[in-house]
C-alpha cells in the first residue's frame, strides 16, 4: 500500500471514529464504499443508484459515502480494507475477486457465455447467487453483479480479423493467468502490464495492442493510438458489488434486506447506463477513424478451447459450476 493510500485510510479511520462518537445523537449508519473508477463511468452511476435506493428504503437511516477514483487504493487494497472492517463496501472486477474467492475464476473462461442474455440469466439465478455467497468465508459478501461488457482486442498497426492475425503480436493483458493463457492459446504473446502504463506502451511499440470493453477503450484514450478494434468478445467478466461481512454482520435483518434490495435495483439501472455508454463509446471511436471489425467469433472460440481444458484440470472442484453455466437455458 503506497503512502497516499495509507494517508487516505488514516483519514478515513479518523472520519469513521468521529462519526461513531456522534452516534449518541444520531441513528444514522454510514456505509463507506471505495472503488477505482471515475465518476463518469457507468458502473459508478450504478453505485450512485444503490446509494439513492438505500437511503430511500431506509428513510435516511442508512447512507452511503462513495470514494471513487481509487482514493482508497487499488481494487486489491480496498478488498483488504473490507476484510479488516476499515471500509464497508466496494466494487471490483470478478478477475480481481478470483484471487480471494476461487469460484469467480469461472467467469474468465473464454466464450463461456453464449450471449448477453445467457450471461445475466446465469448471474441472476441460483448459480450466480451461490457464487456471491461463496465470498462469506473470506469476509467478502457479494451483493450483485454489474455489467462490465465484453473484452475485445484492439491494436495499433495490424488488424485482427482471424486468430492467425494475433501471431507475433504482443498483447497487454491483466496480471491474470487465464487471460495470459487465452491470448497465448490464440497465438499471441500475452504481456501483463499495469493499466496506467498501457497508453505509453502502445504509443512506443512496447506492446502491439490490448483487450478491453468499449467504454474503457475510449475513456482511457487508447482509441487515439489504436487503429483497429476487433469485436471478438472473448470474455465477459462482470463487476461485483461487495460488502464486508464485518459490516454486514452488524446490520439488523431489516437493514440487510434494504441493502440487498437496493443492490438488486441498482444492478438493473446499471445495465441501462452500460448500454448507453457502449453506444456512445463506439460513436467516439468511429469518429476518430478507428476501424471496427466484427470477426467470426467461432474461430476465436475454437482456438481458445485449451483454456477451458486447462482450467478444469487445475480446478476440478469447479467443473460442476462450469457445466451448470454451459447447460443453463
Amino acid at each position: 500500500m503506497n503512502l497516499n493510500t495509507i494517508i487516505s485510510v488514516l483519514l478515513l479511520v479518523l472520519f469513521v471514529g468521529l462519526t461513531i462518537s456522534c452516534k449518541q445523537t444520531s441513528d444514522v449508519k454510514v456505509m463507506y464504499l471505495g472503488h477505482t473508477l471515475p465518476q463518469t463511468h457507468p458502473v459508478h452511476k450504478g453505485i450512485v443508484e444503490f446509494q439513492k435506493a438505500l437511503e430511500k428504503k431506509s428513510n435516511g437511516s442508512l447512507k452511503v459515502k462513495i470514494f471513487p477514483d481509487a482514493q482508497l487504493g487499488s481494487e486489491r487494497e480496498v478488498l483488504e480494507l473490507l476484510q479488516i472492517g476499515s471500509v464497508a463496501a466496494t466494487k471490483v472486477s470478478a478477475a480481481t475477486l478470483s484471487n480471494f474467492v476461487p469460484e469467480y475464476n469461472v467467469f474468465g473462461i473464454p466464450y463461456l457465455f453464449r450471449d448477453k442474455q445467457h450471461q445475466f440469466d446465469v448471474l441472476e439465478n441460483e448459480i450466480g447467487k451461490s457464487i456471491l455467497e461463496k465470498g462469506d468465508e473470506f469476509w467478502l459478501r457479494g451483493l450483485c453483479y454489474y455489467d462490465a461488457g465484453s473484452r475485445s482486442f484492439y491494436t495499433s498497426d495490424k488488424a485482427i480479423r482471424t486468430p492467425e492475425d494475433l501471431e507475433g503480436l504482443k498483447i497487454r493483458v491483466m496480471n491474470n493467468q487465464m487471460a495470459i493463457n487465452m491470448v497465448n492459446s490464440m497465438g499471441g504473446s500475452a504481456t501483463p502490464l499495469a493499466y496506467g502504463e498501457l497508453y505509453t506502451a502502445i504509443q512506443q511499440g512496447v506492446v502491439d495492442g490490448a483487450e478491453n470493453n468499449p467504454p474503457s477503450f475510449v475513456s482511457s484514450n487508447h482509441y487515439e493510438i489504436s487503429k483497429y478494434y476487433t469485436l471478438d468478445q472473448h470474455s465477459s467478466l462482470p463487476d461485483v458489488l461487495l460488502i464486508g461481512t464485518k459490516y454486514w454482520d452488524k446490520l439488523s435483518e431489516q437493514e440487510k434486506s434494504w441493502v440487498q434490495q437496493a443492490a438488486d435495483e441498482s444492478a438493473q439501472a446499471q445495465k441501462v447506463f452500460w448500454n448507453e455508454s457502449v453506444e456512445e463509446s463506439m460513436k467516439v471511436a468511429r469518429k476518430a477513424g478507428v476501424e471496427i471489425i466484427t470477426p467470426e467469433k467461432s474461430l476465436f472460440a475454437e482456438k481458445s478451447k485449451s483454456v477451458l481444458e486447462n482450467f478444469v484440470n487445475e480446478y476440478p472442484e469447479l467443473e460442476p459450476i462450469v457445466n451448470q453455466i454451459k447447460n443453463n437455458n
Side-chain angles (χ1 to χ4, degrees):
M1 194 175 291
N2 60 41
L3 180 59
N4 288 337
T5 301
I6 293 172
I7 292 172
S8 296
V9 172
L10 289 174
L11 290 173
L12 176 61
V13 171
L14 176 61
F15 189 29
V16 172
L18 290 172
T19 302
I20 291 172
S21 70
C22 295
K23 290 242 179 181
Q24 295 176 344
T25 58
S26 175
D27 293 328
V28 174
K29 292 181 180 177
V30 182
M31 177 187 299
Y32 300 96
L33 190 159
H35 68 79
T36 61
L37 298 172
Q39 297 179 57
T40 54
H41 198 282
V43 172
H44 174 82
K45 293 178 181 179
I47 292 170
V48 172
E49 289 301 308
F50 169 68
Q51 178 189 49
K52 292 177 182 177
L54 183 55
E55 183 168 349
K56 182 177 180 180
K57 290 178 184 300
S58 68
N59 198 27
S61 65
L62 285 177
K63 293 182 179 290
V64 181
K65 172 66 175 175
I66 304 172
F67 296 85
D69 296 304
Q71 292 178 37
L72 302 182
S74 67
E75 286 195 333
R76 186 180 185 94
E77 288 169 340
V78 178
L79 283 173
E80 291 170 351
L81 292 174
L82 258 68
Q83 289 179 315
I84 63 175
S86 295
V87 176
T90 189
K91 183 293 308 173
V92 298
S93 167
T96 303
L97 195 50
S98 68
N99 295 312
F100 295 77
V101 187
E103 284 76 10
Y104 285 98
N105 277 295
V106 300
F107 296 138
I109 297 172
Y111 302 103
L112 176 67
F113 300 111
R114 294 186 295 273
D115 50 35
K116 181 75 75 177
Q117 184 66 51
H118 178 219
Q119 180 187 13
F120 277 94
D121 283 347
V122 167
L123 295 180
E124 293 171 359
N125 71 15
E126 291 308 310
I127 301 172
K129 291 177 181 177
S130 68
I131 294 176
L132 289 175
E133 293 170 0
K134 293 290 184 182
D136 282 15
E137 63 181 290
F138 303 97
W139 309 288
L140 300 168
R141 181 179 184 84
L143 293 173
C144 68
Y145 298 97
Y146 285 147
D147 193 352
S150 297
R151 301 177 75 90
S152 295
F153 294 114
Y154 53 90
T155 47
S156 55
D157 295 317
K158 180 182 177 181
I160 298 173
R161 305 182 192 278
T162 68
E164 286 69 31
D165 292 326
L166 277 162
E167 293 182 9
L169 296 185
K170 298 186 293 294
I171 302 295
R172 180 269 175 185
V173 295
M174 297 179 289
N175 191 14
N176 174 277
Q177 193 57 51
M178 192 174 298
I180 294 170
N181 292 345
M182 179 202 64
V183 170
N184 290 342
S185 72
M186 294 182 186
S189 177
T191 308
L193 188 70
Y195 192 63
E197 301 173 8
L198 183 51
Y199 187 100
T200 302
I202 295 174
Q203 194 174 42
Q204 297 181 350
V206 175
V207 295
D208 299 296
E211 44 91 49
N212 216 322
N213 55 60
S216 295
F217 176 55
V218 171
S219 65
S220 62
N221 295 322
H222 293 169
Y223 74 96
E224 297 174 346
I225 52 175
S226 301
K227 298 178 184 177
Y228 308 100
Y229 191 26
T230 303
L231 300 179
D232 65 296
Q233 300 176 324
H234 46 259
S235 64
S236 300
L237 284 157
D239 279 342
V240 186
L241 181 64
L242 296 158
I243 188 168
T245 57
K246 289 186 181 296
Y247 185 90
W248 175 260
D249 292 341
K250 294 177 183 177
L251 299 176
S252 68
E253 290 306 310
Q254 178 63 78
E255 289 169 334
K256 289 177 181 177
S257 176
W258 287 332
V259 169
Q260 187 60 63
Q261 289 173 29
D264 292 340
E265 290 180 15
S266 74
Q268 298 309 311
Q270 188 271 336
K271 289 180 189 177
V272 177
F273 297 141
W274 184 267
N275 291 335
E276 291 173 347
S277 181
V278 168
E279 184 177 345
E280 180 59 30
S281 297
M282 296 303 286
K283 286 180 182 178
V284 171
R286 287 191 176 96
K287 188 175 181 179
V290 176
E291 181 181 350
I292 308 298
I293 300 164
T294 304
E296 178 54 62
K297 290 196 288 187
S298 63
L299 300 176
F300 292 83
E302 183 66 29
K303 287 282 284 187
S304 61
K305 275 185 175 180
S306 62
V307 178
L308 173 58
E309 295 168 1
N310 292 336
F311 178 81
V312 169
N313 288 333
E314 185 176 356
Y315 298 101
E317 71 279 9
L318 299 182
E319 185 175 12
I321 298 178
V322 174
N323 291 334
Q324 282 181 309
I325 292 174
K326 292 175 70 175
N327 296 327
N328 187 82
N329 295 314

